[in-house]
């Protein structure tokens, strides 16, 4: 179907969008991951590509910047309910009472990423009361002391893996401190978080999923256990604040649409912090990977530190940590003269929005002067990522911490290890040396 065929502004009644007739994303040889994503964007934005695409299992694929932004604010475009997620996972894996992916689905079901109204708003609001902009100064203090400790322990002028030795250690120690993990639990958690990565696979390799499921099961037990222990012991305002607000929510579970209310604050934190532990480390690495290749920008930031936030945002535009996430039509959606029926799965390619040349001319170029308007890095509308303030604060504090320690990240000349087939744009390893900053 061509671009004009999916535009029907004259029609008085919206016409049902025939998703099966759309061109499949897989026909562009795209199965996920950063390198194929870059090639895909060059092709689909070169002209002549249809307005929308579909996945092989007939989810609608939205990839143009204008459509992503406009559809994000349609109230009927909601989150995938946890019951639908579980049904899809069961269908995609070996069916039965215990299926591959069960531990992951269990963790995700407790994340409000998989809820809709009336459960979504109270869970989102209580989370933002702990990790929204007002909390940043206090959280930044914790982040800075974690960063100092990690950089003190990291060898100089030796090959290290920035993913494992710095970024994941940072997210684990930051969230670990808030939740109340012990030092030993934090040390063990670094390996667990790394092993969770296949959960973001777009290709559903059963063996990979089995291993990731094991990691999710350990992760859930550790986070839930630590949070419940902290709640009993007291002195953990992050956990106690969330627990008090969770206790006030009196809503029935509705897995097929509204989702579930987490049974306790530990289950909720295990869910919500999946992206806190994993995706935020990916994001910090991507920002530093881009900026390490922009020495002039780094020098400019050194002279004008207020440019750092814009530089990170531009680095994430170029290398978006989240390439795509699933949404779901919780009611009929009328858009652009077409009807997208209730129950339709919608794949929002947020990363592609950042590479649409109509919004960002010459998109493959790092350009600090773009102004940061209209980025789709964190989604949009009522489901825009609530963790974006923390993700930016942690990445900024990490870069400032390196600067304060007079350290420059020097990538080695090894080939880049982008994980293929994933919905995230993630480096498996980022081999670097931390050397003195050239002056
Ligand atoms: C830089 C790292 C991160 C990136 C790139 C990212 C990206 C995104 C995106 C694109 C969405 C929108 C999904 C959609 O509507 O299709 C989203 C939603 C969400 N993110 Fe993040 N995220 C990051 C970090 C975090 C952190 C640190 C947390 C929690 C501590 C978090 C928790 C969530 C939750 C709960 C939602 C669902 C929001 C809702 O339904 O209201 N994310 N994220």
């Amino acid at each position: 179907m061509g671009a004009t065929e999916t535009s029907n502004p004259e029609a008085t009644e919206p016409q049902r969008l025939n998703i099966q007739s759309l061109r499949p994303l897989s026909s562009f040889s795209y199965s996920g991951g950063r390198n194929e994503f870059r090639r895909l964007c060059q092709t689909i934005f070169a002209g002549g590509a249809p307005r929308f695409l579909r996945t092989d299992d007939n989810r609608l694929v939205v990839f143009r910047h204008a459509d992503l932004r406009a559809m994000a604010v349609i109230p009927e475009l909601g989150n995938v309910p946890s019951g639908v997620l579980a049904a899809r996972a069961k269908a995609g894996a070996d069916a039965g009472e215990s299926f591959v992916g069960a531990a992951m689905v269990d963790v995700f079901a407790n994340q409000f990423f998989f809820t809709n109204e009336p459960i979504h708003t109270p869970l989102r609001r209580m989370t933002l009361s702990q990790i929204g902009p007002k909390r940043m100064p206090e959280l930044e203090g914790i982040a800075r002391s974690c960063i100092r400790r990690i950089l003190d322990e990291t060898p100089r002028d030796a090959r290290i893996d920035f993913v494992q030795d710095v970024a994941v250690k940072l997210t684990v120690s930051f969230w670990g401190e808030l939740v109340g993990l012990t030092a030993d639990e934090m040390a063990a958690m670094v390996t667990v978080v790394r092993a969770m990565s296949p959960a973001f696979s777009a290709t559903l390799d059963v063996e990979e999923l089995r291993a990731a499921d094991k990691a999710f099961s350990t992760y859930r037990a550790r986070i839930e256990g630590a949070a419940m222990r902290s709640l009993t012991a007291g002195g953990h305002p992050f956990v106690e604040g969330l627990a008090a607000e969770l206790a006030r929510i009196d809503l029935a579970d509705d897995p097929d649409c509204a989702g579930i209310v987490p049974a306790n604050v530990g289950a909720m934190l295990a869910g919500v912090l999946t992206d806190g532990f994993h995706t935020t480390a990916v994001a910090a690495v991507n920002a530093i990977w881009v900026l390490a290749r922009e020495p002039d920008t780094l020098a400019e930031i050194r002279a004008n530190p207020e440019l750092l936030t814009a530089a990170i945002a531009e680095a994430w535009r170029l290398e978006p940590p989240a390439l795509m996430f699933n949404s779901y039509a919780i009611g009929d959606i009328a858009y652009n003269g077409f009807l997208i029926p209730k129950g339709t799965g919608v794949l929002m390619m947020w990363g592609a929005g950042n590479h649409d040349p109509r919004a960002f001319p010459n998109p493959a170029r790092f350009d600090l002067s773009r102004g940061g308007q209209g980025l789709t890095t964190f989604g949009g509308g009522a489901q825009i990522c609530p963790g974006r303030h923390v993700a930016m604060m942690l990445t900024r504090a990490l870069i400032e911490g390196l600067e304060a320690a007079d350290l420059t990240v020097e990538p080695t000349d090894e080939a880049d290890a982008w994980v293929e087939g994933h919905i995230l744009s993630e480096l498996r390893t980022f081999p670097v040396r931390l050397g003195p900053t050239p002056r």
Side-chain angles (χ1 to χ4, degrees):
M1 190 182 275
T4 47
E5 289 164 90
T6 46
S7 172
N8 188 25
E10 303 302 319
T12 43
E13 281 295 308
Q15 286 176 18
R16 194 184 165 104
L17 183 61
N18 183 353
I19 295 174
Q20 275 171 313
S21 73
L22 297 173
R23 184 169 167 185
L25 185 58
S26 57
S27 71
F28 290 91
S29 304
Y30 183 68
S31 60
R34 185 264 185 194
N35 290 335
E36 283 187 13
F37 166 75
R38 280 298 188 95
R39 281 194 291 274
L40 174 78
C41 287
Q42 278 169 6
T43 313
I44 55 181
F45 294 127
R51 175 80 174 262
F52 298 112
L53 301 168
R54 69 170 170 90
T55 60
D56 289 345
D57 62 354
N58 293 319
R59 279 168 286 143
L60 176 67
V61 176
V62 181
F63 63 94
R64 294 182 188 277
H65 182 267
D67 289 328
L68 287 163
R69 300 262 297 172
M71 289 182 69
V73 296
I74 296 176
E76 290 79 16
L77 187 66
N79 283 322
V80 178
S82 54
V84 173
L85 173 76
R88 277 189 198 158
K90 279 184 184 157
D94 45 339
E97 279 193 8
S98 162
F99 59 97
V100 178
M104 280 182 238
V105 169
D106 212 33
V107 168
F108 290 146
N110 287 287
Q111 189 188 35
F112 60 91
F113 217 136
F114 296 94
T115 66
N116 291 298
E117 300 318 329
I119 293 179
H120 176 259
T121 292
L123 290 177
R124 184 177 167 97
R125 200 170 284 152
M126 64 188 264
T127 303
L128 278 166
S129 76
Q130 295 299 328
I131 62 168
K134 280 192 193 148
R135 293 284 174 157
M136 272 325 110
E138 187 189 327
L139 296 179
E140 194 167 323
I142 297 172
R144 286 191 190 282
S145 78
C146 294
I147 290 163
R148 270 195 301 274
R149 204 171 48 242
I150 292 166
L151 292 181
D152 280 351
E153 288 165 0
T154 310
R156 309 298 194 252
D157 288 323
R159 180 190 182 282
I160 60 158
D161 173 11
F162 199 84
V163 177
Q164 163 114 3
D165 298 328
V166 180
V168 178
K169 265 194 190 168
L170 169 57
T171 59
V172 165
S173 52
F174 174 77
W175 296 112
E177 189 156 330
L178 289 174
V179 172
L181 291 178
T182 65
D184 285 348
E185 285 168 338
M186 286 186 207
M189 190 60 100
V190 171
T191 315
V192 175
V193 170
R194 301 223 60 202
M196 285 158 63
S197 171
F200 299 93
S201 166
T203 51
L204 292 178
D205 175 285
V206 172
E207 279 323 304
E208 261 197 344
L209 275 184
R210 209 182 295 282
D213 216 32
K214 217 168 136 205
F216 264 79
S217 178
T218 310
Y219 162 81
R220 161 84 183 259
R222 293 252 166 84
I223 299 299
E224 190 169 346
M228 301 317 282
R229 186 178 66 209
S230 299
L231 191 59
T232 310
H236 291 84
F238 176 69
V239 179
E240 289 162 56
L242 286 172
E245 290 190 57
L246 185 59
R248 281 195 282 273
I249 299 179
D250 182 19
L251 292 165
D253 287 349
D254 168 21
D256 293 335
C257 188
I260 65 161
V261 179
N264 61 58
V265 70
M268 173 171 177
L269 278 168
V272 172
L273 295 185
T274 315
D275 288 298
F277 281 100
H278 184 80
T279 316
T280 308
V282 172
V285 170
N286 288 12
I288 286 172
W289 185 89
V290 171
L291 293 176
R293 284 156 180 77
E294 298 289 339
D296 294 348
T297 302
L298 285 177
E300 212 180 328
I301 295 168
R302 231 165 261 133
N304 305 286
E306 70 282 0
L307 293 177
L308 180 56
T309 302
I312 296 169
E314 174 63 0
W316 285 342
R317 186 197 61 74
L318 201 59
E319 299 297 346
L323 297 175
M324 52 194 162
F325 281 130
N326 283 302
S327 294
Y328 188 78
I330 52 173
D332 286 347
I333 295 173
Y335 179 64
N336 199 48
F338 278 87
L339 179 84
I340 301 160
K342 179 177 174 179
T344 304
V346 182
L347 184 67
M348 300 290 273
M349 294 200 73
W350 297 114
N354 280 347
H355 279 256
D356 185 339
R358 286 197 190 176
F360 303 102
N362 200 354
R365 193 170 146 258
F366 181 92
D367 181 355
L368 198 46
S369 69
R370 287 185 198 272
Q373 293 304 306
L375 294 167
T376 51
T377 312
F378 291 104
Q383 288 99 8
I384 193 167
C385 177
R388 64 196 189 284
H389 315 284
V390 175
M392 175 58 85
M393 179 278 287
L394 280 175
T395 305
R396 224 188 49 234
L398 176 56
I399 294 173
E400 287 172 352
L402 286 160
E403 179 67 16
D406 204 22
L407 290 172
T408 291
V409 176
E410 300 162 7
T412 67
D413 52 12
E414 290 160 73
D416 295 322
W418 294 103
V419 180
E420 292 306 336
H422 268 210
I423 63 170
L424 300 184
S425 179
E426 172 179 4
L427 282 164
R428 183 172 287 111
T429 58
F430 180 26
V432 303
R433 283 186 180 76
L434 295 188
T437 302
R439 302 281 175 192

